[in-house]
Amino acid sequence: MKRLFLLSLALLTFSIANSQIVNGHIGTGNITIAGTEWTNVYGIDFNNDGILEFRLSDFSGVDGNQVNAYISYNWTEGGNNVVSDPEIWDYAAVLASGQVVDANCTFGGYGDATFQDLTTVPERIFVGFRILLADGVHYGWAEAVVSTSASDIILNWVACAYNTTPNAPVTIGNTVAITHVETPTFQVYVLGENRMRIETDGTEVTLYDINGRQLNIIPCNNEVTITMKQGGLYLVRVGSTTRKVMVY
């Protein structure tokens, strides 16, 4: 078993109806790996059924300073897997928006994967996945944002999606393949005294702490002013768009 490393968070759940490309859930769920059942653990649930396809966990890594990048899963030939570095099977490849995940990708992992280098901060990275569901093999992707905290490198997982058609490719960053869905726009203004004003054409605002724990869902009609209990860095989500906001 590899030297472990990584976990910090971001729990975002959302779905797009009537589309081939469906967003999954990053958060807690259940998973069985190599005969061991894990309950209420953190990971990726691509098809939103409460069963994680991939577990994301926090371990002491190669450099001892990376948080959130140990991926474990049930592997069988043609089953769940991660797009890997062509040269090193247990390192997940760091991909970019616009790349295609399909049967032509290198899936070298055998039940777990970590990352070789995450050195550029801040950095937005993507990981490609092969997912075995009841109706066959699917392809998907997940997004993480790399940030720093003291001497740690923190990987905040913020989104995932997969193609609901078996064996069909998926383009990283694409969440609407057939039906176009308008994404609400919003602006955030920091007012001081731990307050922020949000102006949006969306109908509700969801707040998370920087670790991805949901704090509140607030109805919004054009604008809303929110007072936080304390200053700090928060995640503000409207529709499928999330922004980091520092209030003070």
Side-chain angles (χ1 to χ4, degrees):
M1 183 65 68
K2 259 176 296 352
R3 290 163 296 185
L4 308 164
F5 65 136
L6 298 103
L7 183 95
S8 205
L9 319 59
L11 166 158
L12 281 338
T13 312
F14 49 100
S15 62
I16 297 178
N18 303 316
S19 172
Q20 273 190 318
I21 311 300
V22 174
N23 287 77
H25 171 77
I26 298 177
T28 57
N30 303 329
I31 188 172
T32 300
I33 301 175
T36 300
E37 183 177 353
W38 301 86
T39 60
N40 198 35
V41 295
Y42 182 69
I44 304 175
D45 177 7
F46 278 101
N47 62 341
N48 299 298
D49 65 353
I51 304 299
L52 304 177
E53 284 76 47
F54 298 86
R55 184 185 180 192
L56 306 171
S57 51
D58 186 9
F59 301 112
S60 176
V62 172
D63 297 324
N65 66 346
Q66 301 202 39
V67 181
N68 238 41
Y70 184 81
I71 306 172
S72 53
Y73 49 92
N74 281 314
W75 173 85
T76 57
E77 187 64 38
N80 292 345
N81 217 323
V82 178
V83 177
S84 63
D85 184 303
E87 304 297 327
I88 309 174
W89 67 264
D90 58 351
Y91 283 139
V94 175
L95 305 178
S97 181
Q99 289 188 244
V100 174
V101 181
D102 60 13
N104 296 316
C105 293
T106 300
F107 294 97
Y110 297 94
D112 53 12
T114 58
F115 291 83
Q116 182 176 18
D117 293 304
L118 291 174
T119 57
T120 303
V121 178
E123 181 181 19
R124 181 187 184 197
I125 67 170
F126 296 88
V127 181
F129 293 88
R130 185 175 69 195
I131 308 135
L132 182 60
L133 301 176
D135 60 346
V137 170
H138 297 255
Y139 296 99
W141 55 268
E143 177 186 356
V145 176
V146 181
S147 59
T148 59
S149 175
S151 61
D152 289 338
I153 294 174
I154 300 173
L155 207 57
N156 294 295
W157 296 87
V158 297
C160 64
Y162 83 110
N163 195 324
T164 59
T165 301
N167 300 309
V170 64
T171 300
I172 290 177
N174 181 13
T175 56
V176 181
I178 297 177
T179 303
H180 178 67
V181 176
E182 291 292 338
T183 300
T185 60
F186 71 100
Q187 297 293 329
V188 181
Y189 301 91
V190 177
L191 305 178
E193 298 180 339
N194 299 335
R195 297 179 303 146
M196 70 177 93
R197 185 176 77 247
I198 300 171
E199 299 177 357
T200 178
D201 55 3
T203 59
E204 65 181 27
V205 175
T206 305
L207 298 177
Y208 303 87
D209 67 18
I210 193 57
N211 291 322
R213 289 183 289 267
Q214 183 176 302
L215 302 175
N216 202 1
I217 299 178
I218 303 166
C220 184
N221 183 13
N222 296 321
E223 72 173 61
V224 62
T225 298
I226 303 169
T227 301
M228 310 304 295
K229 291 183 178 180
Q230 61 185 23
L233 191 60
Y234 294 89
L235 300 174
V236 177
R237 185 176 185 80
V238 178
S240 60
T241 303
T242 303
R243 295 177 184 167
K244 291 182 179 180
V245 179
M246 176 66 76
V247 298
Y248 52 88

